[in-house]
Structures are given as C-alpha cells and as structure tokens.
C-alpha cells in the first residue's frame, strides 16, 4: 500500500512498508528521490530503527543476554499503520510485537509524520517508550536523492565553512581511522572517489543544513537541526546521493559490555517520548 500527500508545490508518496518515502516531485513533475534501482541500491529512504548501521557480529548484549539484529534494524522491513491523513500530511505508526521483542526486548511505538508546507517536506519522528525501564535505541534517516547526469557536476554547500572530520568504515564498523575534508567557500565538490571506502560518517558537525548544488545552482536543502550525527553515502557510479541525519551510528571496532553503553546510543526513560525532525526543501 502507498499513500500520497500534496500541496500546490509538491507531491510526496510513501510506502506503508517501512513508512518509506519513495517519491517527492515538484509541480513540473521533477523527481527528487532515487528510483530504487536494485542494480545500485534497491531502497529510497528507509527508516533506521532501533539501530543505525551494523553491530559487531550483528549482535548485542543487553542484561547479559545476547540478541541478533541485522544492519539498520527492522523498522524498514515492517508494515506501518496509517493513523492520520490530511491532504498535506500523513502519520504512520509501528508497535512492538512478539517477534520484534525476540530481537529487541522492549515495548515501543514509532511514529513517522510526513507533512508538506510550501516547498518543504517535514519528516517528524516520535519514539514512545512503553516500558517501566529505560529503553536504548538509535534512529535515523536514509534519504537518497536522485542526481541524474554527470556526478561531478554536483556539489554540497554546508551551512558553515568548516573542516570536515569523518570516520572510515571497516567491514561496516566505525574504525579508529579518520580523514579530513576542507571546504572551499563552504562547498564540497562531489566525486565517486570520496565513497570508494563506503560512507563518510560524521560524529560531530557544526553545519546543520546541507544544500545539493548542480553547476552551482541549488536543487534542494536538507535541514537536520535536531540530529547530532550524519552519514553521506553513495555507490560508485550510481546517480544518487544519501544525506543521512542520525541519532547514533554503527558499532566501533571496540566491543561493548552492554547495548545501553553503546557509543551514540539514545536512552529514553520509562514512559517518555523522544521527538525529532528533519526537512527537505526544494528550490
């Protein structure tokens, strides 16, 4: 099943499977979301929950018990319920089940709300802890933006002119190796060479907006004010780029005694609610 929302400027389409955004078009019918061609990557914009990236050995320990959990968690593979719909917005909900509790032993509700306003799509996350104990989790976005034509014609404009320190991945895990990228007039030219060793992972970043430019002309802006971490990724030779606001990231090469002590993990107290938001602005 799919749901569409629209206003005078934009139309967005969302799959109920994973509450995944798979289309965002302007009134001229220009598509901004990657088509999901499995030759390169068969997703569009999955929701990452309750982990981001990979766990060491695809497993974690909680209360001295070991659980297996695959890359990026299970929310992206589950059917969400549409709980509220207007012409310009749609809210989806996912509850824990007996099956999810076998791999993530917590009661939760995850809500994703998509809403259009003018030339912007807002994506609101809400995580509700329905336990009498603190619930550890990570949550993040993974939108892939279509970049047709010559990849080298595109660049990223960061909110601040800063030196970008990023972590390298080693077999999907955060290594101890870092590199730096120097921006020029707040911009970074895109080349596939940047992604030959997988994603660029930023644990800290001063900038909270990134604009995609083509031949110096702005196409869209991702605003992630709420999010402390970020990933940027593509597949070499693929015509898309992911700009991924995160709360958390993959395991490091170090082991953890307990999932709740994992680097970057969020701790939500009993019966409390976590909320965050990012947006995609079309020019």
């Amino acid at each position: 099943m799919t749901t569409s929302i629209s206003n005078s400027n934009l139309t967005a389409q969302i799959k109920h499977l994973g509450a995944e955004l798979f289309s965002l078009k302007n009134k001229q019918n220009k598509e901004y979301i990657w088509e999901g061609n499995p030759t390169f990557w068969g997703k569009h914009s999955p929701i990452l929950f309750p982990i981001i990236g990979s766990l060491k050995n695809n497993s974690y320990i909680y209360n001295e018990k070991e659980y297996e959990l695959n890359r990026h968690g299970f929310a992206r593979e589950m059917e969400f319920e549409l709980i509220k719909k207007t012409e310009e917005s749609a809210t989806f909900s996912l509850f824990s089940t007996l099956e999810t509790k076998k791999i993530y032993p917590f009661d939760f509700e995850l809500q994703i709300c998509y809403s259009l306003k003018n030339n912007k799509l807002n994506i609101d996350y809400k995580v509700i802890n329905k336990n009498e104990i603190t619930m550890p989790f990570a949550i993040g976005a993974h939108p892939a933006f279509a970049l047709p034509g010559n990849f080298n014609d595109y660049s990223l404009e960061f909110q601040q002119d800063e030196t970008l320190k990023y972590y390298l991945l080693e077999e999907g895990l955060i290594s101890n190796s870092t590199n730096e990228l120097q921006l020029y007039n707040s911009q970074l030219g895109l080349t596939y060479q940047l992604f030959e060793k997988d994603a660029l992972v930023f644990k800290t970043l001063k900038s909270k907006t990134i604009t995609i430019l083509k031949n110096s002309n702005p196409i869209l802006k991702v605003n992630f004010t709420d999010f402390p971490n970020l990933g940027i990724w593509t597949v070499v030779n693929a015509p898309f780029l992911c700009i991924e606001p995160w709360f958390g990231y993959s395991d490091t090469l170090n082991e953890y005694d307990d999932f709740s002590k994992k680097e970057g993990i969020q701790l939500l107290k009993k019966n409390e609610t976590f909320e965050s938001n990012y947006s995609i602005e079309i020019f």
Side-chain angles (χ1 to χ4, degrees):
M1 292 182 64
T2 65
T3 290
S4 295
I5 58 175
S6 63
N7 65 6
S8 58
N9 295 313
L10 300 171
T11 297
Q13 293 181 279
I14 304 103
K15 296 180 182 180
H16 292 207
L17 181 64
E20 182 179 11
L21 175 72
F22 71 94
S23 178
L24 180 62
K25 294 181 179 180
N26 65 10
K27 60 184 178 181
Q28 287 80 34
N29 211 36
K30 179 180 178 180
E31 180 64 77
Y32 291 89
I33 299 298
W34 162 241
E35 66 185 34
N37 183 344
T39 300
F40 295 107
W41 187 56
K43 297 287 188 179
H44 311 272
S45 182
I47 307 298
L48 314 183
F49 176 87
I51 61 168
I52 293 169
S54 298
L55 299 173
K56 194 168 186 178
N57 301 319
N58 288 323
S59 65
Y60 67 95
I61 295 172
Y62 180 76
N63 277 352
E64 301 182 352
K65 182 177 179 180
E66 185 172 351
Y67 298 87
E68 292 189 3
L69 194 51
N70 290 331
R71 180 176 177 83
H72 291 324
F74 50 73
R76 61 182 182 155
E77 306 295 347
M78 295 187 69
E79 196 79 13
F80 282 65
E81 178 185 357
L82 179 63
I83 60 172
K84 186 177 181 181
K85 172 71 168 66
T86 69
E87 185 176 347
E88 298 183 354
S89 69
T91 302
F92 299 84
S93 177
L94 178 70
F95 284 90
S96 51
T97 66
L98 291 176
E99 291 303 309
T100 65
K101 291 183 73 172
K102 291 177 182 178
I103 54 177
Y104 180 67
F106 301 97
D107 289 309
F108 67 86
E109 181 183 1
L110 170 61
Q111 290 185 11
I112 312 294
C113 178
Y114 295 92
S115 60
L116 294 169
K117 186 174 182 181
N118 299 324
N119 62 332
K120 185 182 293 186
L121 174 64
N122 293 296
I123 302 98
D124 293 282
Y125 291 171
K126 183 181 290 187
V127 181
I128 303 168
N129 181 0
K130 294 181 171 292
N131 306 274
E132 291 299 317
I133 56 174
T134 296
M135 184 176 79
F137 73 97
I139 191 167
H142 201 319
F145 301 106
L147 302 186
N150 187 346
F151 192 74
N152 292 346
D153 288 343
Y154 295 90
S155 59
L156 301 180
E157 183 175 60
F158 288 72
Q159 183 184 32
Q160 297 194 33
D161 196 16
E162 58 182 301
T163 299
L164 306 178
K165 178 183 177 181
Y166 66 92
Y167 287 77
L168 299 173
L169 293 173
E170 189 173 318
E171 296 183 356
L173 304 179
I174 304 288
S175 73
N176 295 319
S177 300
T178 61
N179 277 348
E180 290 186 348
L181 293 169
Q182 184 61 55
L183 299 180
Y184 297 94
N185 295 322
S186 303
Q187 294 185 21
L188 174 68
L190 289 179
T191 66
Y192 286 121
Q193 186 178 3
L194 285 170
F195 306 99
E196 286 180 339
K197 294 184 179 180
D198 210 331
L200 311 182
V201 176
F202 303 92
K203 293 184 181 180
T204 57
L205 202 62
K206 293 179 182 178
S207 296
K208 293 298 181 180
T209 68
I210 295 177
T211 302
I212 298 178
L213 312 173
K214 184 176 184 180
N215 297 322
S216 300
N217 297 312
I219 297 173
L220 64 84
K221 178 189 289 186
V222 182
N223 185 321
F224 48 96
T225 302
D226 287 353
F227 290 76
N229 318 122
L230 187 80
I232 301 178
W233 173 75
T234 191
V235 177
V236 173
N237 297 324
F240 72 83
L241 183 77
C242 294
I243 299 176
E244 309 174 39
W246 295 337
F247 278 86
Y249 35 81
S250 290
D251 271 359
T252 69
L253 293 175
N254 303 318
E255 293 187 17
Y256 296 96
D257 295 325
D258 193 292
F259 184 58
S260 60
K261 298 177 182 177
K262 170 179 161 59
E263 188 174 309
I265 204 72
Q266 307 300 304
L267 298 174
L268 187 60
K269 293 181 180 180
K270 66 177 184 178
N271 302 315
E272 289 194 349
T273 298
F274 165 94
E275 296 184 73
S276 64
N277 165 282
Y278 81 100
S279 64
I280 302 166
E281 182 179 358
I282 303 302
F283 292 102

